[in-house]
Amino acid sequence: MNFKILISMFFTVFSLLASSTGSAQNIFDTIHTEKYANFLFATHDYELAAEEYDRLLFMSNTKTDSLQWMLIRSTRLAGNIDKAIQRIHVYYPDTNFKTNYLSKEYLQLLFIKKENNLARNEIVRLRELDSTDRLFYTTTNEFLSENYSLASQLVNNSLQKNTALEPFKDVMLSINGQKHKSPVLAGTLSAIIPGLGQTYAGNWQDGVFASILTGSAIFQAYRGFNKYGIESVYGWVFSAMASAFYSANIYGAIKAANKHNILNHIKISIQVEALLFNYYN
C-alpha cells in the first residue's frame, strides 16, 4: 500500500479517536494541516500538497503570502499550470507582489506558458526582484526569444561582476557549435540546381529525391516535345509536372532550412529551461 495513503489513513483514524475521547489534540487544526502539507510537498506529492494548502488557507483567518505561494507552487509542480496562474490572479489581481519569491513564481509560470513578451515586460516592472534575479531572467528571456547576440552580450558583460550567469557559458558554446541555415539561400540553391538547397539544409536524402524527380519530369517533357513537336500532350503533361516538382523543390528547401533552425533553437531552449528550473523550482 502507498506510504502516503497510510499516512492519510492514520490521520483519519487518529481524528476519529480524538473526537470520541475528547482528550486528544485535534490533528486537523491549522498547525497540523500545515505540517502535513509540508510533508506532502517534501515527498513530491504536489497534487495532494496543493489540496492541503488550499484547505489550510480556507481554515486560516490570515491569508499569508507564504501560504499562498506554497499553494501556487504546489499547483505548478503538480502540472496544473493554468490553475496556478488562475490562483495568482485571484490572490493578486494587479500582480503587484510584495515578495521576491512570488515574483519569481509568476515569472516561472510565464516562461512555462511561453509568454516571452509578457515576461520581458514583467521583469522590468516587478519591483521585488533583486538585481541578480532581474539579470538572470532577462538573459533567460533573450535566449528563449532567439536573441542570441544580446543574450551572449549580457553574459559576457556580467561574468566578472556576477557569477549567476556562469551556467549560460555552456549554452553559448552550443550556439556557436550550431550552423544557421539561410532559408533564402536554400531556396536560391534549389532554384539553380533542384535538390541542392535541401542538401545545404542538411537533408541530402530529400535533395537527391527532389533532383531525380524534377530532372526526370524535365527529361520526359523534353523527350515528348522533341518527338511530337510543340503540340505534344505528352510533353505538356510532363512540363506541368516538372513545374510543380520544381516549385515544390524550392519550397521544400526553404522549409528544410527553417526546420533545421527550429530544431537547433529547441535544443537551446531545453538547455536554458533546465538552467531556469535549477535556478528556481
Side-chain angles (χ1 to χ4, degrees), residues 89 106-107 110 114-124 141:
H89 289 301
Y106 177 51
L107 288 175
L110 292 181
K114 313 295 184 186
E115 296 282 356
N116 295 342
N117 289 332
L118 179 56
R120 180 179 288 108
N121 295 331
E122 295 296 78
I123 291 166
V124 175
N141 192 64

Side-chain angles (χ1 to χ4, degrees), residues 9 82 229 262:
M9 289 175 64
D82 291 332
I262 289 171

Side-chain angles (χ1 to χ4, degrees), residues 189-251:
L189 289 173
S190 273
I192 297 172
I193 301 177
L196 188 58
Q198 285 90 335
T199 303
Y200 157 76
N203 202 347
W204 65 268
Q205 296 95 331
D206 283 355
V208 171
F209 181 73
S211 180
I212 293 174
L213 204 61
T214 306
S216 298
I218 291 173
F219 174 76
Q220 292 298 329
Y222 168 78
R223 185 182 175 192
F225 288 132
N226 185 58
K227 186 174 183 179
Y228 300 109
I230 193 67
E231 295 182 357
S232 169
V233 175
Y234 183 91
W236 282 112
V237 168
F238 276 98
S239 289
M241 291 175 62
S243 297
F245 292 153
Y246 181 75
S247 299
N249 144 74
I250 296 173
Y251 172 77

Side-chain angles (χ1 to χ4, degrees), residues 4 35 43 55 57 65-66 79 90 104 136 141 152 157 170 222-223 236 239 243 250 258 271 277:
K4 298 183 183 67
K35 286 182 178 179
T43 55
R55 191 162 68 88
L57 281 166
D65 284 335
S66 60
V90 168
K104 291 165 73 172
F136 182 90
N141 192 64
S152 299
N157 290 344
D170 290 336
Y222 168 78
R223 185 182 175 192
W236 282 112
S239 289
S243 297
I250 296 173
N258 282 325
Q271 274 188 277
F277 184 82

